[in-house]
Amino acid sequence: MDLSDLQLETPRLLLRLPRRDDYEAWAAFGADEEATRFIGGMQARSPAWRSLAATLGSWHLQGFGMFSVIEKATNRWVGRVGPWQPEGWPGTEVGWSIAREAWGRGYAPEAAAASTDWAFDHLGWSEVIHTIDPDNANSKTVAAKLGSAYLRMGRLPEPHHEKPVEVWGQTRAQWQARKAVHP
């Protein structure tokens, strides 16, 4: 797959592969205690760099990974959303992490819906999950807006293996049925 031109577009967002010039916004996001509370906590600049590199590397190793989410109106990086399945992950996930200054605008469900379409249509996934910290009410709301439901408790691989996560999700058939009713 040629990744050079891959991008998804929604009415307000552009989803594209991460780039080096995303790093400053990526690192600022990683340094935000509130924004990272449910996704492993704050990161200093050097771990944030490795996170950006790992996310981009996922695209080259697996053919998918988190997209950088760009707000069309401002051309500003506002988060990372997309398909994700590192080694040992409990399933084929579409996840989201939005920068705090962009919270409350509906960007997470908008970008996650486009990513879910892409995962089912282009990756051929039969199920999409979302791993959610049990205390993260906002992500549960996003999952529900996408039509996902609580499936089970699960665990992530090391180094986050000690904290259980809720696994939410839906099948391709459920996604397509919902889209037929709510296009």
Side-chain angles (χ1 to χ4, degrees):
M1 171 188 338
D2 179 15
L3 299 175
S4 59
D5 294 325
L6 178 60
Q7 63 182 26
L8 308 179
E9 204 167 329
T10 72
R12 301 178 298 157
L13 304 171
L14 177 66
L15 283 69
R16 59 155 173 76
L17 271 66
R19 300 179 186 156
R20 182 183 178 95
D21 61 352
D22 295 338
Y23 175 62
E24 290 304 323
W26 191 288
F29 171 80
D32 184 328
E33 183 175 12
E34 181 65 18
T36 60
R37 178 168 49 139
F38 297 117
I39 59 168
M42 293 173 41
Q43 290 183 322
R45 288 182 63 85
S46 62
W49 173 260
R50 290 190 295 275
S51 170
L52 174 63
T55 301
L56 184 55
S58 176
W59 281 99
H60 295 281
L61 290 170
Q62 297 180 287
F64 61 88
M66 293 274 182
F67 292 97
S68 277
V69 180
I70 309 301
E71 185 179 56
K72 285 181 179 178
T74 62
N75 203 35
R76 180 176 58 136
W77 185 95
V78 294
R80 55 189 187 218
V81 174
W84 187 244
Q85 191 181 23
E87 172 66 28
W89 217 249
T92 48
E93 178 163 22
V94 168
W96 50 84
S97 300
I98 299 296
R100 188 161 31 138
E101 62 271 11
W103 286 2
R105 297 182 187 162
Y107 289 168
E110 184 175 329
S115 295
T116 300
D117 276 338
W118 190 80
F120 285 138
D121 295 344
H122 295 278
L123 299 175
W125 288 2
S126 59
E127 177 185 55
V128 162
I129 66 161
H130 320 291
T131 56
I132 301 174
D133 184 295
D135 295 328
N136 190 342
N138 290 339
S139 277
K140 292 177 192 183
T141 298
V142 171
K145 284 180 181 179
L146 294 169
S148 290
Y150 172 83
L151 301 174
R152 64 190 172 274
M153 291 303 292
R155 292 200 181 270
L156 300 180
E158 290 186 48
H160 305 291
H161 61 287
E162 293 184 9
K163 183 155 177 38
V165 293
E166 292 184 11
V167 179
W168 288 60
Q170 62 188 298
T171 66
R172 177 201 315 259
Q174 290 168 323
W175 178 255
Q176 291 171 338
R178 184 175 183 281
K179 281 187 63 176
V181 175
H182 305 289

